[in-house]
Amino acid sequence: MSPSRIGVLALQGDTREHLAALRDAGADPVPVRRRDELDTVDALVIPGGESTTMSHLLRDLDLLEPLRTRLTDGFPAYGACAGMILLASEILDAGAGGREALPLGGIDMTVRRNAFGRQVDSFEGDIAFGGFDEPVHAVFIRAPWVERCGPEVQVLARAADHVVAVRQGPVLATAFHPEMTRDRRIHRLFVDIVNGRA
Ligand code: GLN
């Protein structure tokens, strides 16, 4: 069996950093901008950025519905920050006026956009992460938090009493940005999920 191909959504945000982090984690990732590129990958990373802008780019590029369908069919995905927002089944404070963030589903959860942002725009800290022996240094930038988790959702990390990392089957999401540090454990976890090893 050939190794799984992991794509990184390359519409906006930290695409390059996620490509590099996945390479460090042993994968051979490719950028995804178009429908035919999405069709060739077995898994997708959705970087941080601005979830409202990304939603509209996804829709305009005819990627929104194909992604929703693939996620329903068990497509592995990892979303960081704005990526977490998009992977939710429900988004609070999604924006308005035709510029709102659009949920892709993938994880049965309700996410509040810019939740920490109303308190502190950005912050970092060491947090415990399920399955890791040592804490993760988490960088939050206008980050969301998870307000409701469905029964199938595994909570992996919390910060200031809020859920900030979750997994449901092959879909992983963090409210923070591991690509901005040199720690590759979260990307390695995703590569292991994609390859059926975690
Ligand atoms: N606040 C952004 C949004 O709503 C997310 C910020 C980020 O990805 N760093 O999409």
Side-chain angles (χ1 to χ4, degrees):
M1 208 177 79
S2 59
S4 302
R5 251 164 92 86
I6 302 181
V8 177
L9 191 65
L11 304 181
Q12 206 214 14
D14 279 356
T15 305
R16 236 183 3 183
E17 289 79 1
H18 281 288
L19 288 166
L22 288 164
R23 268 184 228 114
D24 291 347
D28 186 17
V30 294
V32 168
R33 290 184 195 86
R34 298 191 315 258
R35 172 70 194 274
D36 58 326
E37 293 168 333
L38 178 64
D39 291 342
T40 67
V41 296
D42 306 302
L44 188 71
V45 171
I46 306 179
E50 183 52 55
S51 53
T52 52
T53 306
M54 270 201 272
S55 292
H56 290 272
L57 289 169
L58 284 169
R59 198 173 56 190
D60 294 348
L61 295 167
D62 194 24
L63 291 168
L64 192 73
E65 287 308 325
L67 248 176
R68 281 184 172 145
T69 305
R70 289 202 73 180
L71 286 164
T72 307
D73 294 343
F75 185 54
Y78 165 47
C81 201
M84 170 187 250
I85 296 169
L86 295 177
L87 286 173
S89 50
E90 186 185 18
I91 304 170
L92 303 177
D93 290 340
R99 293 300 306 163
E100 63 272 43
L102 306 168
L104 294 168
I107 298 184
D108 175 16
M109 63 176 173
T110 303
V111 164
R112 186 175 295 278
R113 210 175 131 245
N114 297 337
F116 287 107
R118 276 174 285 136
Q119 300 172 1
V120 272
D121 229 31
S122 60
F123 64 101
E124 22 192 297
D126 293 339
I127 58 173
F129 193 99
F132 295 173
D133 293 338
E134 300 291 330
V136 165
H137 188 73
V139 179
F140 296 87
I141 303 167
R142 287 175 58 75
W145 65 48
V146 180
E147 287 202 4
R148 179 197 62 87
C149 289
E152 315 267 288
V153 177
Q154 185 188 356
V155 172
L156 296 174
R158 293 173 199 270
D161 277 341
H162 298 289
V163 173
V164 293
V166 289
R167 173 178 175 182
Q168 182 176 343
V171 186
L172 181 67
T174 62
F176 53 90
H177 289 265
E179 79 286 1
M180 293 181 71
T181 69
R182 283 157 70 175
D183 185 346
R184 295 297 175 242
R185 285 175 295 170
I186 289 174
H187 288 84
R188 232 179 286 136
L189 169 63
F190 183 58
V191 172
D192 286 345
I193 291 172
V194 173
N195 291 313
R197 292 192 301 252

